[in-house]
């Protein structure tokens, strides 16, 4: 009876496991395939995919190969699609010439053409459409068949009987006897090789990939790639489409349905169509837009017009593309009341709706509604639902609601009273303007505001937006995905350069659903840059394929482990009494080995939650009560505190008053700079008083410096320990060295401060850490502690990911500790990073490195 129950459990477990494996193998809905560079590139830059880089495939009777191919128009249509080389003597080629009027595809065996196709013969065959191609090679019966989208042709072919060993290459062939650089202009995906029983032998989806390699789904067989361009990479890296300049640029509008971006100037507008890559310049025949330099424009997809609006005017100024005319001619300038507000055309009734903004020292929290039934503006106060703000993101959710996220403002609306960054999400019902708060997100270590655009697909539980640090002129935009159910969000690694000035810059982005492309536009003065990213965006880990193991190998190992565990479990149950007696007779406590203790001792120290100031890995401040008051530091106060503290540590005196004004208030007159400095110093002192009694900003001989006692600073701790190590006879103990490594491992100095004056401090700090860590490795006691050496190497690589001495140290120490697999994994990871950053292969092999461990 017990065994029957256990059998049922086993069956259930394997059923669940099978379901999990099926789910694990499903393809994400993103672009996949390998783009082959053809005649548009020089010979050395054309693409090659070799499925047999190390050894040939062996087939005794027959085999098949099938794949999906997409062919494009280009400078040349002729080229090799696929080449099979049998027994190093016989070539079987599939060749295209899409410019030919007679035939477009040929099967070539040695110097004979048994089969050919016209593109018109292929069902649904066309340029830029996926075509499924299959080749059946029957050596036993001397037959070859080829099919395109199911249209199959077969021929008896001489010279293939008895062939066994096959090399297989797509695109450029580098076999010295069969060299070929004519590559078909194509994209390939989903390559499958089947044996004589029509069972899958190898499968390359060409979705995920490694560096110059890609592994199959069946046996993790390696294929090599030269000059490849992976479609999946379009989902992880922004591509700059255009850099444009528009004189007297006053705004941007976007046609999200057609993927067109309009750059609006005083006398003309530029129209850029992303799908066609076409730019049109349209000079105004009559009228002009309203002269609002804060982007008071919106594209109305229903009327196919650009609307220019002014809150002081009851007339919408509409641009008609047919007659190239604006309805109004007033170009007088007014100081804005609603700078950087959000706007939308209501899907409910077509009204123009705006929210928030800034003007005349006040943040706004009201809906301005241009009612088409009255042709006039009306207002609804939303301050009870959404605190006043500007620089927010907004977008429709597809269900009649308008989402508003983040921004900068204050609860009172007054600029001078406790302004703050907001990280909250609201939903506005456009039928009745009822506001509902959906979520508040965690306060980041470095503040940000979003761009004006927000993308959310209907019925999804997340949205995307770009964000940036408004504290810096030289900033960058990063994409993030925010959950609408909780406070979690995901940051994507790539970024877009963005020069931000409150009065002269805008950024927006949107999803062009027809091409599944996210489009972003940045504007500063007259300069506009446009970028694209394939949708959905992906993390590198979702695209880069592990270099050693394939998914099914891992899953197979999981199956083996689970199965072994179940067997052991059953054995324990069957022998419970006998085992229990033996266990009770043993009294051997578990004692960790010295190595286990050393490995376990390395932890990133938790941040002290009282009277502490952190610069490493991100700016963060805790007051004496343990409250995180980081958000209370405005961008200017952060810069002010950082520049004074860093200069105080550097030279002991601090920073000269004129130099401080030159860096932080360079655009102000002397009197204005002095007033701003005094106000900011006063605010900063008030915040530091909350941190502790023994911290203050004072001035001596025109120098500003920080006095701090009893307050923890990670930056000051590391600089102090480094000085002690260099100048003290006793140096540092192993425990102190480990502490140094643990603190340094938190990361670089103020990583999200993208400020020119800080670059020198960042470089000096990184050099200090790297030099100190390097010196640690020469200490006699440290040389004997392989665990500590490993931690030091890891920390060096955190600051310098391509440090060759550190990877040698890491691999050799892990190897000496018997962790050979970890050593190889670390080496493979380093090699990939080295290639990505430097564009060249790491010249030292793993074998050469581990020789140093012997």
């Amino acid at each position: 009876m017990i065994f029957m129950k256990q059998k049922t459990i086993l069956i259930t477990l394997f059923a669940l496991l099978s379901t999990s494996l099926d789910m694990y193998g499903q393809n994400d809905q993103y672009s996949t395939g390998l783009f082959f560079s053809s005649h548009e590139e020089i010979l050395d830059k054309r693409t090659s995919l070799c499925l047999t880089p190390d050894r040939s495939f062996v087939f005794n009777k027959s085999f098949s190969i099938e794949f999906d191919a997409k062919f494009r128009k280009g400078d040349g249509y002729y080229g090799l699609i696929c080449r099979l080389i049998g027994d190093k003597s016989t070539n079987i080629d599939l060749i295209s010439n899409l410019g030919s009027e007679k035939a477009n595809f040929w099967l070539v065996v040695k110097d004979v053409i048994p089969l050919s196709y016209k593109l018109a013969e292929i069902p649904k065959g066309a340029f830029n459409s996926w075509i499924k191609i299959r080749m059946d090679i029957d050596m036993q019966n001397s037959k070859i068949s080829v099919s395109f989208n199911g249209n199959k042709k077969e021929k008896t072919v001489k010279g293939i009987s008895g062939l066994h060993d096959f090399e297989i290459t797509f695109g450029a062939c580098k076999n010295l006897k069969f060299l070929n650089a004519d590559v078909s202009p194509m994209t390939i995906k989903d390559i499958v090789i089947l044996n004589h029983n029509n069972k899958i032998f190898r499968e390359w989806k060409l979705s995920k990939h490694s560096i110059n390699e890609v592994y199959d789904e069946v046996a993790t067989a390696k294929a090599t790639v030269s000059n490849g361009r992976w479609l999946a990479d379009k989902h992880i890296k922004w591509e700059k489409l255009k850099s444009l300049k528009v004189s007297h640029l006053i705004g941007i509008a976007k046609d999200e349905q057609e993927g067109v971006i309009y750059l609006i100037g005083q006398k003309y507008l530029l129209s850029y169509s992303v799908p066609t890559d076409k730019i049109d310049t349209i000079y105004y025949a009559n009228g002009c837009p309203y002269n609002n330099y804060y982007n008071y424009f919106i594209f109305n997809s229903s009327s196919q017009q650009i609307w220019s609006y002014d809150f002081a005017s009851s007339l919408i100024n509409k641009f008609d593309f047919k007659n190239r005319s604006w309805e109004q001619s007033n170009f007088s300038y007014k100081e804005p009341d609603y700078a950087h507000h959000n706007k939308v055309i209501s899907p409910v009734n077509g009204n123009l709706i705006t929210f928030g903004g800034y003007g005349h020292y006040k943040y706004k929290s009201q809906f301005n509604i241009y009612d088409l039934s009255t042709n006039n503006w009306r207002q609804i106060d939303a301050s009870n639902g959404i605190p006043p703000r500007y620089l927010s993101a907004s977008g429709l959710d597809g269900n009649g609601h308008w989402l508003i996220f983040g921004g900068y403002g204050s609860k009172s609306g007054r600029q001078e009273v406790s302004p703050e960054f907001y990280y909250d999400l609201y939903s506005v019902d456009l039928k009745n303007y009822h506001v509902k708060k959906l979520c508040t997100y965690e306060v980041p270590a470095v503040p940000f505001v979003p761009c004006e655009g927000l993308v959310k697909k209907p019925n999804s539980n997340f949205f995307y937006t770009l964000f940036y640090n408004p504290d810096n002129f030289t900033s960058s935009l990063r994409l993030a995905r925010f959950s609408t159910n909780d406070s979690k969000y995901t940051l994507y690694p790539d970024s877009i350069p963005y020069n931000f000035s409150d009065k002269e810059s805008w950024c927006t982005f949107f999803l062009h659903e027809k091409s599944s492309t996210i489009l972003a536009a940045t504007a500063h003065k007259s300069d506009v840059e446009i970028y694209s990213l394939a949708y959905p965006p992906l993390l590198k880990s979702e695209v880069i394929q592990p270099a050693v193991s394939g998914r099914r190998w891992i899953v197979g190992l999981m199956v083996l482990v689970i199965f072994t565990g179940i067997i052991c479990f059953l054995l324990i149950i069957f022998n419970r009494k006998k085992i229990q007696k033996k266990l009770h007779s043993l009294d051997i406590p578990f004692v960790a080995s010295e190595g286990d203790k050393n490995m376990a001792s390395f932890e990133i120290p938790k941040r002290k939650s009282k009277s502490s100031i952190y610069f490493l890995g991100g700016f963060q401040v805790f007051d004496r009560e343990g409250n995180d008051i980081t958000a209370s530091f405005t961008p200017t106060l952060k810069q002010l505190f950082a520049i004074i503290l860093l200069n105080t540590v550097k030279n002991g005196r601090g920073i000269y008053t004129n130099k401080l004004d030159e860096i932080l208030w360079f655009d102000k007159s002397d009197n204005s700079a002095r007033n701003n400095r005094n106000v900011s110093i006063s605010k900063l002192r008030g915040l530091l008083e909350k941190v502790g009694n023994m911290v203050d900003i004072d001035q001596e001989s025109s120098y500003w410096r920080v006095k701090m006692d009893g307050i923890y600073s990670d930056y000051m701790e590391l600089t102090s320990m480094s000085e002690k190590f260099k100048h003290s006879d006793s140096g540092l103990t192993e425990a102190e060295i480990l502490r140094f490594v643990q603190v340094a491992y938190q990361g670089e100095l103020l990583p999200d401060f993208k400020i020119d004056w800080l670059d020198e401090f960042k470089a000096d700090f990184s050099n200090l850490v790297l030099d100190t860590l390097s010196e640690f490795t020469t200490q006699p006691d440290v040389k004997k502690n392989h665990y500590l050496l490993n931690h030091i190497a890891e920390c060096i690589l955190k600051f310098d990911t391509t440090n060759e001495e550190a990877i040698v140290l890491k691999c050799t120490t892990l190897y000496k500790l018997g962790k050979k697999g970890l050593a190889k994994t670390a080496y493979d990871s380093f090699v990939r990073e080295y290639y990505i950053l430097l564009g060249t292969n790491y010249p030292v092999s793993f074998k050469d490195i581990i020789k140093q461990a012997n």
Side-chain angles (χ1 to χ4, degrees), residues 361-389:
Y361 308 105
K362 289 186 177 180
Y363 306 105
K364 310 299 169 62
S365 182
Q366 61 201 39
F367 297 113
N368 288 302
I369 305 161
Y370 188 83
D371 195 327
L372 295 179
S373 63
T374 63
N375 290 328
N376 219 329
W377 292 98
R378 62 187 176 94
Q379 291 185 346
I380 297 177
D381 183 13
S383 58
N384 289 332
I386 311 176
R389 65 189 64 197

Side-chain angles (χ1 to χ4, degrees), residues 112-130:
V112 178
I113 303 176
L115 295 172
S116 64
Y117 279 85
K118 290 184 178 180
L119 187 61
E121 294 181 76
I122 301 172
K124 298 181 180 180
F127 284 108
N128 298 315
S129 296
W130 288 109

Side-chain angles (χ1 to χ4, degrees), residues 833-847:
E833 185 72 12
Y834 192 94
Y835 181 85
I836 290 171
L837 292 178
L838 303 182
T840 185
N841 292 322
Y842 180 53
V844 184
S845 69
F846 180 69
K847 183 183 294 185

Side-chain angles (χ1 to χ4, degrees), residues 337-342 355-359 361-367 380-392 404-415 417-424 426 435 449:
D337 269 332
Y338 301 96
H340 293 289
H341 61 264
N342 299 101
F355 169 78
Y358 168 83
Y361 308 105
K362 289 186 177 180
Y363 306 105
K364 310 299 169 62
S365 182
Q366 61 201 39
F367 297 113
I380 297 177
D381 183 13
S383 58
N384 289 332
I386 311 176
R389 65 189 64 197
Y390 81 139
L391 294 174
S392 299
I404 297 173
F405 167 67
Y408 187 79
S410 70
K411 293 180 176 63
S412 66
R414 296 167 58 187
Q415 180 182 0
V417 181
S418 301
E420 60 182 303
F421 290 87
Y422 289 109
Y423 306 100
D424 43 10
Y426 297 87
V435 175
V449 294

Side-chain angles (χ1 to χ4, degrees), residues 236-268:
I236 61 175
K237 190 171 182 62
W238 289 97
E239 177 184 359
K240 182 190 285 190
L241 300 179
K242 283 287 184 268
S243 291
L244 303 170
K245 186 179 287 289
V246 179
S247 60
H248 303 292
L249 178 71
I250 54 177
I252 297 176
K254 53 187 187 288
D255 181 350
E256 298 186 12
Q257 294 180 5
E258 299 302 323
V260 180
I261 298 173
Y262 299 102
L263 312 178
I264 302 157
Q266 179 180 347
K267 297 182 179 180
Y268 68 94

Side-chain angles (χ1 to χ4, degrees), residues 57 85 105 131 136 186 218 364 366 384 396 531 575 612 695 712 803 808 845:
F57 294 141
I85 303 173
F105 300 97
I131 297 173
D136 298 305
M186 62 183 179
V218 178
K364 310 299 169 62
Q366 61 201 39
N384 289 332
L396 295 170
Y531 296 82
N575 299 280
S612 52
V695 58
Y712 176 74
N803 190 297
V808 171
S845 69

Side-chain angles (χ1 to χ4, degrees), residues 202-470:
R202 296 287 185 269
E203 180 180 11
W204 287 271
K205 293 182 179 296
L206 303 186
S207 51
K208 294 186 176 184
H209 63 89
S210 188
I211 306 301
N212 298 328
E213 295 175 354
V214 60
Y215 297 87
D216 99 293
E217 304 291 313
V218 178
T220 63
K222 178 178 71 176
T224 56
V225 181
S226 300
N227 306 315
R229 291 166 57 186
W230 299 94
L231 298 193
D233 288 355
K234 292 178 177 288
H235 293 262
I236 61 175
K237 190 171 182 62
W238 289 97
E239 177 184 359
K240 182 190 285 190
L241 300 179
K242 283 287 184 268
S243 291
L244 303 170
K245 186 179 287 289
V246 179
S247 60
H248 303 292
L249 178 71
I250 54 177
I252 297 176
K254 53 187 187 288
D255 181 350
E256 298 186 12
Q257 294 180 5
E258 299 302 323
V260 180
I261 298 173
Y262 299 102
L263 312 178
I264 302 157
Q266 179 180 347
K267 297 182 179 180
Y268 68 94
L269 67 81
L270 284 184
S271 166
Y272 174 56
S273 170
V274 176
T276 63
D277 195 33
K278 182 180 179 182
I279 299 174
D280 286 331
T281 303
I282 304 174
Y283 286 90
Y284 310 143
N286 293 293
C288 62
Y290 289 139
N291 185 13
N292 289 317
Y293 278 86
Y294 282 87
N295 203 22
Y296 286 27
F297 297 92
I298 193 168
F299 181 81
N300 190 322
S301 59
S302 297
S303 63
Q304 291 293 297
Q305 296 171 322
I306 297 174
W307 286 7
S308 172
Y309 53 93
D310 186 332
F311 295 107
S313 172
S314 61
L315 297 174
I316 295 290
N317 191 1
K318 302 174 182 177
F319 181 74
D320 190 313
F321 285 92
K322 291 182 180 179
N323 55 33
R324 299 179 290 111
S325 297
W326 293 96
E327 293 182 354
Q328 307 299 320
S329 300
N330 181 8
F331 200 70
S332 61
Y333 175 73
K334 305 180 186 67
E335 188 71 23
D337 269 332
Y338 301 96
H340 293 289
H341 61 264
N342 299 101
K343 59 218 170 193
V344 69
I345 298 292
S346 172
V348 176
N349 50 31
N351 290 340
L352 168 61
I353 306 167
T354 74
F355 169 78
Y358 168 83
H360 298 98
Y361 308 105
K362 289 186 177 180
Y363 306 105
K364 310 299 169 62
S365 182
Q366 61 201 39
F367 297 113
N368 288 302
I369 305 161
Y370 188 83
D371 195 327
L372 295 179
S373 63
T374 63
N375 290 328
N376 219 329
W377 292 98
R378 62 187 176 94
Q379 291 185 346
I380 297 177
D381 183 13
S383 58
N384 289 332
I386 311 176
R389 65 189 64 197
Y390 81 139
L391 294 174
S392 299
S394 69
L396 295 170
D397 71 349
N399 297 309
H401 292 79
W402 192 28
L403 300 180
I404 297 173
F405 167 67
Y408 187 79
S410 70
K411 293 180 176 63
S412 66
R414 296 167 58 187
Q415 180 182 0
E416 71 274 14
V417 181
S418 301
E420 60 182 303
F421 290 87
Y422 289 109
Y423 306 100
D424 43 10
L425 176 67
Y426 297 87
S427 174
V428 182
D429 189 334
L430 294 179
K431 294 178 182 178
N432 52 26
Y433 298 97
H434 174 72
V435 175
K436 179 182 179 181
K437 188 173 183 178
L438 300 181
C439 190
T440 298
Y441 299 91
E442 296 178 1
V443 176
V446 176
F448 66 76
V449 294
C451 78
E452 70 164 17
L454 179 157
V455 170
K456 182 181 183 297
K457 285 201 167 185
N459 304 319
S460 66
N461 59 356
F462 56 84
F463 67 90
Y464 296 96
T465 189
L466 294 168
F467 70 87
Y468 60 99
N469 182 358

Side-chain angles (χ1 to χ4, degrees), residues 249 473 498-501 504-506 522-528:
L249 178 71
F473 169 73
Y498 182 42
N499 291 333
F500 176 71
S501 172
E504 299 173 316
S505 303
W506 316 292
T522 67
H524 176 67
K525 295 184 178 179
S526 296
D527 298 316
V528 178

